[in-house]
Structures are given as structure tokens and as C-alpha cells.
Amino acid sequence: MNQRKVISFENIRVACKSCTLSQLCLPMGLCAEDVERLDSIVKRSRPLHRGDHLFRGGERFRSLYVVKTGSVKTYAPSEEGGEQVLGFHLPGEIIGLDAIDQSCHACSAKVLETSAICEIPFQRFEELAASIPSLQHQMYRLLSKEISQDTDMLLLLGKKNAEERLAAFLVSMSKRLSKRGLSATDFYLSMSRHEIGNYLGLAVETVSRLFTRFQDEGLLKVDRKHVQVRNLTALENMAGTPPSATHQQHSN
Amino acid sequence: MNQRKVISFENIRVACKSCTLSQLCLPMGLCAEDVERLDSIVKRSRPLHRGDHLFRGGERFRSLYVVKTGSVKTYAPSEEGGEQVLGFHLPGEIIGLDAIDQSCHACSAKVLETSAICEIPFQRFEELAASIPSLQHQMYRLLSKEISQDTDMLLLLGKKNAEERLAAFLVSMSKRLSKRGLSATDFYLSMSRHEIGNYLGLAVETVSRLFTRFQDEGLLKVDRKHVQVRNLTALENMAGTPPSATHQQHSN
DNA sequence: AACTCAGGTTGACATGGATCAAGTGTCAGG
DNA sequence: CCTGACACTTGATCCATGTCAACCTGAGTT
């Protein structure tokens, strides 16, 4: 069937079985044979570039998307220009789960930097899941995890002040990046201050001031998008979610 | 006077097939035979009373729960007394979806008034769903809907001011109640002002002042927990979610 | 009836963060 | 090297809402 491409994009278009994300993503817990079956329905497009949309609010829902490399933000465009950033998505994270119910995307998804994305046609996925119990189970887990994460965010927006919010954001990024094999203390943020503020329910100015203050307090070293965490524990305490308070870690 | 009785006691231990909620709940879209199979795994306990817990944060996850009559609140107990109310659940709504991922409840669920609850052992449910595609699909939809609702809530907490929040809350209650055959404009709130404030990220005093103001402005008639909506359209506009802005209505 | 007590309302005041208004890099294109 | 655009920072001010405190009200209880 499909001619194998043995060239430069090969590392971007890796099959699920050789993808380093398989333990975060849908293939988790599947046997080799079932991974192949899943792999056969995944579509891998050319890399997308900063500003490209995976989908826009209002479009018909057909597929789920998984970030393979790069990062994506989802946001709800509100009437008259304003928007609410709903999340930033790193490799291995699934996008579009909220659209299953209405068969229609309520939010938009835009890539923040050059990114490779896997597309999973949902109807075919559903058929497959019906015949692979562990895939079905993993899908329930991923949906459930999305709900827990939203719940954490509700707590953040409902109860935390500006300082706690930014600390929680930085801790979350740190954990998620390190789970992907990157440094937990030295990373680049792919989103702007404005997007961070929007996501956290804060004004840009507040975010900027907090970055400065955290740096003055020796918690961070910041240079534009480059962040070096100097005192992760202090940030965790500030964020109000000590690692042992919950029963297990679950951020994706 | 008491219209709450409409869905009250005649309903308590009815089987799924004769439950008035079947179009909101898991049986939606199932054929009669499959409804029977689902029904056979559902456990129906005696009514619970105000303050009883369905589960508490930290407990092992075994079952999902569906409100049959009455109402339930879910909340995340935080260290040292504080809590964040995560949601209020009306008949037909499923509770516990966030615990699938960790097999452990991160939040607690407490009934707000005498309530009948259906318990659905999750493992048996999962087995059943694997053999009934339309049940699996409905489960995906319900999980997805939960995510959309959380998303709406993120928008509320991230972008809306106090007045918009309370208006959105009242509109949501109105819609959900009317979808259950109750009046959209005359109802009793089963939660306290404190719980409303907590849920909306506002101080009790702010909620109280807003109720007074809405009444002064002729939008509502309020007597303690009894609310009569006088101008639903105005509330909808204030809430910033005009009914036609989204493509379909979906609040459960 | 009087007492109690929790939930609710109302008023006075304080403040965290929004908003407004200048700057200050930094980078792309000419 | 300039120029303009844009993201970010910093400072000054304002205001929505939180906080604190007093009081009310209704439903039980004695």
C-alpha cells in the first residue's frame, strides 16, 4: 500500500510502535498487534507551523489530534475578539475530546510552534476500541484524566491568587516536560505572556510582574521565554499542591 | 406548592426502562433489550439524606453514581478546612467520571437533600459497554459533555465578573431543571449561598448582594432558597451566553 | 413565648490585581 | 544602520470584590 518514506521526515512520522510517547498516549497497555491496528488508522500530516489551526470552533468534529512534537493551544473564541485560553498541549496529549458529545468543535486549536500532529479519525477509532478492551479502557482513562485536569484548573481559578496561579503553571510545565524526557528546571515556554495570563485569568502585566518578582526572590532565572527554575520546591509549596498531597501524580 | 414532588418518590426504585430520565442518562439510544442488560448491573440503594456522602476524596473508585432524585454536590477538600465546590448534580447526571483515571476519588460527593442514587459498578459497566456499541458511544458522549461543561466553567471563572457568574449559574439551573420537566422560572435551590459563592469563586456576601440587586432590578423574586425568574432573557444576556451563540444547546 | 443558632443580609472599609500609560528591548525588513 | 512593530516591563492609579463586623430572620428547642 503506502510507500515507505525513508527520508528526513521519518523521525517525525514514526509509527506508534516506535514512538517515544507510546506510554503517555493511546497505545499504553496495548499488545504489539493491537498497536499495529491502531497505527493503521492514524493519519500523519506534514508538520504544521506557528499559527496554523488544527480546527476552529464551529467545525464538524471528525478526528482527535495528538501532539507528537511541538505544542498547541486550545482556546474558546468569545463574541467580539476576546478569547479564553483553555489549555496548552504538549507531546502525547490528546486534543478534541470535548467535541465528541456535540460532534462539533466548541473551541479552536492553534499550534504555537512548528509541530507534528497525529490525527485519529474518531469513527474508525470507536470501531477499533469496541474490539480492543484495553484500548477502550485507556480511552476512558484519558477522558477521565482530562476531567481531573479541568477540575484542578477550576480549583486554581476559583481559589488561588495570582502568585499561586503562576507557580502552579510553572510547576505543571516543569512536571510535564520532565515526564517527556526534557529538563524539569530549564525550558523554553512556547506561549506568550499574554497567553499565559489569559490562561490563568490574569492580566499580562500581572504575569510580567510576577516573573520579575520570582526572579528577584531567586526562584527563577528568566530571559524572555527561557525559564530556569532555581527552587522547584518553593514553587510547589507556593502552588499549594505538594506532590504528596494527592495520592498519585497524574498530570499527563 | 411543592413541585419537587413531581420527580420525587414514585421514581425511586424504578428500573431504567421506566425511568423518566432515560433520555438524559446512560440508556439513551439503547434498544429495550440492552436497557435490560444495563439495568441488571445497576444497584439502587435506599434514599440518602442531606449530608450523606456517596464517596470521599481518597477512597478507591469502584462505581459511578447517577442522581435519580434530589441533588448532590461534589467538592475538592483542600488542606485545612477549605473546599472548592466543583459542581451541583441534578437527576440524570453522572458523578465520579474524574476518578476513572486514577482508580481513586480525588473529590468528595455529598447529597444536598434526600436523594435517590443509582450505583453503577464500573468494571461490570466497562464489560457491558464493550459488547454494546451504542452504550460505549453514549459513555464517550457523557465523558465528553463533562469536559465541555468544565470548559464552560473555566471560561466563567477566568473571564466573567460577579454579576455574570451569578446570572450564568441561574440560567444554567433554569435550563437544567426545565429539561427535567420542572419550571424554568420557579424553583428551589438546594444549596446554600455559601456553596453557591464557593462554586462561583465569590464571597457569600457578594452572592447575597447580587441576589438583592437582581431582585431590585426586577430580574428575580427571591425568598431564601425559592427563586422566581422574572426576566430570563435579561439573565441570559447578562450571563454572556446567548442561547443561539453555540450551535446546539447541550447543558445536561 | 423566649432562647438559640445557623444562614443570610447589609454596611464600612481594605486591597489585589486590573487598567491606563509610558517606556524598553528585540527582531525583521528595507 | 535605521524603522516600525510587537512583546514585554514598569510605574501610577482605580475599582470590583474580598474581608470584617454587626445585625436580622426563621426554624427548632426549651
Side-chain angles (χ1 to χ4, degrees):
Chain A
M1 11 150 75
N2 211 327
Q3 165 99 10
R4 284 285 176 90
K5 285 143 191 147
V6 202
I7 9 174
S8 58
F9 283 127
E10 185 61 19
N11 44 0
I12 286 178
R13 296 198 179 191
V14 278
C16 293
K17 67 176 173 187
S18 40
C19 179
T20 54
L21 298 167
S22 62
Q23 285 318 298
L24 295 170
C25 185
L26 282 165
M28 179 181 159
L30 264 57
C31 68
E33 183 195 339
D34 288 338
V35 172
E36 288 290 346
R37 293 168 69 193
L38 175 59
D39 191 70
S40 73
I41 71 167
V42 176
K43 295 184 196 168
R44 297 179 181 84
S45 62
R46 281 178 302 105
L48 298 176
H49 299 291
R50 174 168 180 78
D52 290 346
H53 275 82
L54 266 50
F55 53 79
R56 289 167 198 269
E59 287 177 15
R60 181 155 184 82
F61 166 70
R62 299 185 191 287
S63 297
L64 298 172
Y65 298 87
V66 179
V67 182
K68 178 169 279 190
T69 67
S71 52
V72 175
K73 80 164 179 185
T74 45
Y75 62 99
S78 72
E79 50 267 51
E80 292 323 308
E83 65 181 53
Q84 169 72 37
V85 174
L86 298 170
F88 301 112
H89 306 272
L90 300 185
E93 293 175 347
I94 299 198
I95 300 170
L97 295 173
D98 61 311
I100 296 172
D101 177 46
Q102 293 295 302
S103 302
C104 178
H105 289 287
C107 63
S108 303
K110 191 193 270 197
V111 317
L112 290 169
E113 60 191 315
T114 302
S115 301
I117 307 290
C118 297
E119 179 181 346
I120 303 170
F122 185 66
Q123 199 177 334
R124 299 195 60 189
F125 172 82
E126 231 182 330
E127 291 157 16
L128 195 60
S131 73
I132 308 178
S134 58
L135 180 59
Q136 188 200 35
H137 184 72
Q138 175 64 357
M139 183 62 175
Y140 285 150
R141 289 192 52 202
L142 290 171
L143 280 153
S144 173
K145 177 181 298 194
E146 183 87 10
I147 295 170
S148 321
Q149 282 167 191
D150 286 351
T151 284
D152 292 344
M153 203 58 199
L154 291 181
L155 211 149
L156 181 146
L157 291 174
K159 288 278 173 304
K160 298 189 179 174
N161 64 24
E163 154 184 310
E164 294 164 335
R165 292 183 196 193
L166 187 63
F169 170 73
L170 290 168
V171 169
S172 158
M173 290 305 289
S174 168
K175 292 211 163 122
R176 288 154 72 200
L177 289 166
S178 77
K179 195 162 286 192
R180 285 162 181 75
L182 299 173
S183 169
T185 56
D186 187 321
F187 47 84
Y188 286 79
L189 297 172
S190 57
M191 67 296 289
S192 68
R193 299 285 191 269
H194 184 85
E195 286 164 326
I196 295 172
N198 188 312
Y199 176 59
L200 297 175
L202 299 172
V204 202
E205 294 91 330
T206 304
V207 174
S208 180
R209 277 186 252 270
L210 284 170
F211 269 117
T212 306
R213 208 180 87 204
F214 285 179
Q215 177 158 257
D216 292 347
E217 293 171 350
L219 300 174
L220 301 176
K221 179 89 173 53
V222 190
D223 177 36
R224 308 202 116 235
K225 314 218 148 177
H226 183 193
V227 175
Q228 291 168 276
V229 178
R230 289 286 165 78
N231 190 340
L232 188 53
T233 316
L235 279 179
E236 282 168 346
N237 292 337
M238 192 180 275
T241 314
S244 48
T246 352
H247 303 267
Q248 295 172 47
Q249 281 319 109
H250 58 271
S251 44
N252 187 8
Chain B
M1 58 187 307
N2 192 343
Q3 45 184 324
R4 286 185 285 187
K5 279 228 173 95
V6 172
I7 49 169
S8 218
F9 289 112
E10 63 260 37
N11 228 342
I12 286 189
R13 292 201 181 198
V14 283
C16 293
K17 68 176 175 188
S18 39
C19 179
T20 53
L21 299 167
S22 62
Q23 286 318 296
L24 295 170
C25 186
L26 282 165
M28 180 182 157
L30 266 57
C31 68
E33 183 196 339
D34 289 337
V35 173
E36 289 290 346
R37 293 169 68 195
L38 174 60
D39 191 69
S40 71
I41 71 168
V42 176
K43 296 184 196 169
R44 296 180 182 83
S45 63
R46 281 179 300 106
L48 298 176
H49 298 293
R50 174 168 180 77
D52 291 346
H53 275 83
L54 266 49
F55 53 79
R56 290 169 198 267
E59 288 178 12
R60 180 155 183 83
F61 166 70
R62 297 182 192 288
S63 298
L64 297 172
Y65 298 88
V66 179
V67 183
K68 180 171 277 191
T69 68
S71 52
V72 174
K73 81 164 176 182
T74 45
Y75 63 100
S78 73
E79 51 267 52
E80 292 322 309
E83 64 180 55
Q84 168 72 39
V85 173
L86 298 171
F88 301 112
H89 306 271
L90 301 184
E93 293 174 348
I94 300 198
I95 299 170
L97 295 173
D98 60 314
I100 296 172
D101 177 47
Q102 293 294 303
S103 303
C104 177
H105 289 287
C107 65
S108 303
K110 191 194 268 195
V111 315
L112 290 169
E113 61 190 315
T114 301
S115 300
I117 307 290
C118 297
E119 178 182 346
I120 303 170
F122 185 66
Q123 199 178 334
R124 300 195 60 189
F125 173 80
E126 232 183 329
E127 291 157 17
L128 195 61
S131 74
I132 306 179
S134 59
L135 181 58
Q136 188 201 35
H137 184 72
Q138 174 65 358
M139 183 63 175
Y140 285 148
R141 287 192 53 200
L142 289 171
L143 281 152
S144 172
K145 176 180 297 194
E146 184 86 10
I147 295 169
S148 322
Q149 282 167 190
D150 286 351
T151 284
D152 292 344
M153 204 58 199
L154 290 182
L155 210 151
L156 181 145
L157 291 174
K159 288 278 173 305
K160 298 188 180 177
N161 64 23
E163 157 184 308
E164 293 164 336
R165 293 182 195 194
L166 187 62
F169 170 73
L170 290 168
V171 169
S172 159
M173 290 304 290
S174 167
K175 292 213 165 119
R176 288 154 73 200
L177 289 166
S178 79
K179 195 163 287 193
R180 285 162 182 76
L182 299 175
S183 169
T185 56
D186 187 321
F187 48 83
Y188 287 79
L189 298 172
S190 57
M191 68 294 292
S192 69
R193 299 285 191 269
H194 183 86
E195 288 165 324
I196 296 172
N198 187 312
Y199 176 58
L200 298 175
L202 299 173
V204 201
E205 294 93 329
T206 305
V207 174
S208 181
R209 277 186 252 269
L210 283 170
F211 268 117
T212 307
R213 208 180 87 203
F214 285 179
Q215 178 159 256
D216 292 348
E217 294 171 351
L219 300 174
L220 300 176
K221 180 89 173 51
V222 190
D223 177 35
R224 309 201 118 235
K225 312 216 150 180
H226 184 192
V227 174
Q228 291 169 275
V229 178
R230 288 288 165 77
N231 191 340
L232 188 53
T233 315
L235 279 180
E236 282 168 347
N237 292 336
M238 191 179 277
T241 314
S244 48
T246 352
H247 303 265
Q248 294 173 47
Q249 279 321 109
H250 60 269
S251 43
N252 186 6

